[in-house]
Amino acid sequence: MSYALSGARPIGTETRARVMAAIKELGFERNAAARSLAARRSHVLALVLPTVAGGLSGTLGEFAQAASQTARDAGYHLVIWPFDREEHAEVRDLVRQGQADGVLVMEVSLHDERIDALLASQVPFTMIGRTAELDGRSWVDIDFERTLTDAVDHLADLGHTTIAFVNHSQHSLDTGYGPTVRARDAFHAAAVARGIHATDVTSDESPLAGRLTTSAILDERPETTAFVTMNETATFGVTQALRDRRLRVPDDVSVLAVVTSPEVGAMYHPPLTTMRAPGHELGRRSVEELLAALEGTAPREAPRLVTCALSPGASTGPAPRR
Amino acid sequence: MSYALSGARPIGTETRARVMAAIKELGFERNAAARSLAARRSHVLALVLPTVAGGLSGTLGEFAQAASQTARDAGYHLVIWPFDREEHAEVRDLVRQGQADGVLVMEVSLHDERIDALLASQVPFTMIGRTAELDGRSWVDIDFERTLTDAVDHLADLGHTTIAFVNHSQHSLDTGYGPTVRARDAFHAAAVARGIHATDVTSDESPLAGRLTTSAILDERPETTAFVTMNETATFGVTQALRDRRLRVPDDVSVLAVVTSPEVGAMYHPPLTTMRAPGHELGRRSVEELLAALEGTAPREAPRLVTCALSPGASTGPAPRR
DNA sequence: CTGTTAGCGCGTTCAT
DNA sequence: ATGAACGCGCTAACAG
């Protein structure tokens, strides 16, 4: 068939016109299965994530949109494929069966069996996040070190000397979830660098847990004047606990929510100062990485670490006089 | 090849064993493209939704999980396919090109061009929600009539006589978004039935909009003692406005959030009484509908309308004495 | 119950 | 610059 028309070799202008006309008239559509079979390539990228990863939150939406767009511009479809955590094999088989050409893996932990399976089968993939071991792996991630450093600096510059950090759950820490581990370490390092009295705690992803946690911190360290939170759900509890104690934000206590969005910050009163999760950038970059791996292009040395920018709200202010 | 083994016809126990052994040893995987080509069926169901439909919210997660599971049990993959609103043709072409066998369409409006395109091309689909016209269309939806009736009844039973309803945006009403239209109408009908003084307003999907809207209602109708909200984001503003005016929940004013989840309700203080969006049920039912259409099975007459159950919180109570 | 065979609709290579 | 032929790896239909 004259189907090389679809871009493969030089074509006569007139011939092309004839073909295009025929295509219109017959309402012709290229068959994806036949193309995939012949070309040995599905032109599908799979975005796999744990089932209901906190319910496909706002950040995911932004990420997926950017990734989707980038993929489309390159002639690929991005499809979101939810899997339970235990289904390592299924993730790998998506590619081995030719359903997808490559995989974007979200919510990776420091030791992630899905990644082991992918590596063992030589399946092309890019991680959103990082395993502990990195060589030979393609990834993009939030720069937690930089983000937490900036967060601590912001508060230290405002005169705060005792800062608490409300992290993700203990479970996520125990299972080696990268963001939890990295953020904790970075917070500590930044606090030491600025001579800050630091408290860090984990909290389950619920407002109630955040409230209890915050309450406990205030009991133990009443001199705490600032909270950095990296737990969207628990943050609701943090502000509740402050309200319970008649502590005003930001006059008595400052709250800085990191790796979230101003939109979420706007749900509070006053609106939270946030450090925005760079979902868009991560989405674009991760697809670029994966495509480079797929097409054998040299994995261009672009930044793999993306930072969260400070988005001023009304929840951080100068430390109160004592 | 003896591949009918994979379920198509009776097989000798021993033959089966031999084949299975060979499969293990060679690490064999069936090729999806070849299967699709030969069988003229991709075994993929596409869940299409507008790009960043409010950021793939919590309800979507629940829906997707259930749909995904149901599809898998039937030997299908459910893949989430984000599209911009304007890309009607692309949605249709997914199936025409054989990328997917059928489509689940989310966020359908009363007059939805995507649906028109699907109908014109005879593509199998099921709507999550309903167009105005329904015949020959497969759908499942939330029972807004019932939900709003239950909501009004709940509050009326508590003695409230003036109730305000905070709906989705004016834009969604203007563009004929089913839930917005149906909920408004149902609220009115229910209020009339119970002799309630009803106010209904639309609000943009932001806390600020919810706050201003609520404030305006309280100015105009200070006798309002209860709010029904169907706008997750704006509801944050509703409670802020009440707090601004020193109105206590539920002593002075009751708040009932419908078509949301107790988890979201828990982000409030006190926790909101909610009517839970039946994401799980909708996900399961919608895939069942679509599969019935695909496999030519008689579209079994199961309920297409699913109701939201009341989940008690602490934000509704008896109407205050005047 | 089991072995064999003919396409499915494209990409690709080989002629022209 | 174009047409023709082959085969991607399977399913389904047909013999045995």
Side-chain angles (χ1 to χ4, degrees), chain A residues 27-34 36-37 42-44 51-52 54-62 64-65 68-69 72 77-84 87 90 92-94 96-99 207-208 211 232-233 236-237 240 243-244 263 266-269, chain B residues 27-34 36-37 42-44 51-52 54-62 64-65 68-69 72 77-84 87 90 92-94 96-99 207-208 211 232-233 236-237 240 243-244 263 266-269:
Chain A
F28 172 87
E29 291 283 342
R30 271 145 87 181
N31 178 295
S36 301
L37 183 57
S42 65
H43 285 278
V44 165
T51 313
V52 221
L56 311 193
S57 69
T59 302
L60 205 224
E62 199 185 332
Q65 176 173 24
S68 200
Q69 189 57 55
R72 186 174 302 191
H77 276 297
L78 180 91
V79 300
I80 303 174
W81 235 296
F83 280 105
D84 284 342
E87 313 180 275
E90 279 76 2
R92 175 201 58 198
D93 292 343
L94 275 187
R96 301 217 307 185
Q97 296 174 167
Q99 296 264 18
L208 180 58
R211 188 152 153 240
E232 285 194 350
T233 322
F236 282 94
Q240 282 170 16
R243 204 157 42 236
D244 288 345
E263 288 73 28
M267 303 202 299
Y268 292 79
H269 190 63
Chain B
F28 173 87
E29 290 284 342
R30 266 146 81 178
N31 179 296
S36 302
L37 182 57
S42 65
H43 286 277
V44 166
T51 313
V52 223
L56 310 193
S57 69
T59 303
L60 205 223
E62 198 186 332
Q65 175 172 23
S68 201
Q69 189 57 54
R72 187 175 304 191
H77 276 295
L78 180 91
V79 300
I80 304 174
W81 234 297
F83 280 104
D84 285 341
E87 314 180 274
E90 279 75 2
R92 174 202 59 196
D93 292 342
L94 275 186
R96 301 217 306 184
Q97 296 173 166
Q99 296 264 16
L208 180 57
R211 188 151 153 241
E232 285 193 350
T233 321
F236 283 95
Q240 282 169 18
R243 203 155 45 236
D244 288 345
E263 289 72 28
M267 304 201 299
Y268 292 77
H269 189 64

Side-chain angles (χ1 to χ4, degrees), chain B residues 110-121:
Chain B
L110 292 176
H111 300 280
D112 198 303
E113 306 195 49
R114 297 170 300 175
I115 303 300
D116 296 336
L118 292 168
L119 278 170
S121 300

Side-chain angles (χ1 to χ4, degrees), chain A residues 192-232:
Chain A
V192 167
R194 296 292 303 245
I196 297 292
H197 301 275
T199 316
D200 81 289
V201 296
T202 55
S203 167
D204 282 346
E205 315 273 329
S206 80
L208 180 58
R211 188 152 153 240
L212 297 176
T213 297
T214 303
S215 196
I217 291 171
L218 291 170
D219 284 340
E220 241 171 83
R221 288 229 182 169
E223 70 274 24
T224 302
T225 58
F227 286 79
V228 175
T229 67
M230 191 177 79
N231 184 323
E232 285 194 350

Side-chain angles (χ1 to χ4, degrees), chain A residues 50-179:
Chain A
T51 313
V52 221
L56 311 193
S57 69
T59 302
L60 205 224
E62 199 185 332
F63 178 94
Q65 176 173 24
S68 200
Q69 189 57 55
T70 308
R72 186 174 302 191
D73 292 345
Y76 284 80
H77 276 297
L78 180 91
V79 300
I80 303 174
W81 235 296
F83 280 105
D84 284 342
R85 260 262 145 63
E86 303 73 39
E87 313 180 275
H88 324 124
E90 279 76 2
V91 171
R92 175 201 58 198
D93 292 343
L94 275 187
V95 174
R96 301 217 307 185
Q97 296 174 167
Q99 296 264 18
D101 294 337
V103 183
L104 294 175
V105 190
M106 294 202 85
E107 305 283 316
V108 327
S109 51
L110 292 177
H111 301 280
D112 198 302
E113 306 194 51
R114 297 172 300 174
I115 303 301
D116 296 337
L118 291 169
L119 278 170
S121 300
Q122 310 232 43
V123 168
F125 68 92
T126 294
M127 308 183 279
I128 320 305
R130 283 166 282 170
T131 47
E133 177 65 50
L134 280 181
D135 49 73
R137 307 177 185 196
S138 162
W139 58 273
V140 300
D141 200 359
I142 291 173
D143 189 340
F144 292 98
E145 287 72 16
R146 174 77 184 281
T147 300
L148 269 294
T149 301
D150 288 353
V152 169
D153 282 346
H154 173 70
L155 293 168
D157 290 347
L158 287 167
H160 295 273
T161 54
T162 303
I163 305 179
F165 176 47
V166 179
N167 205 336
H168 288 299
S169 71
Q170 184 64 38
H171 177 259
S172 71
L173 195 59
D174 294 343
T175 54
Y177 183 54

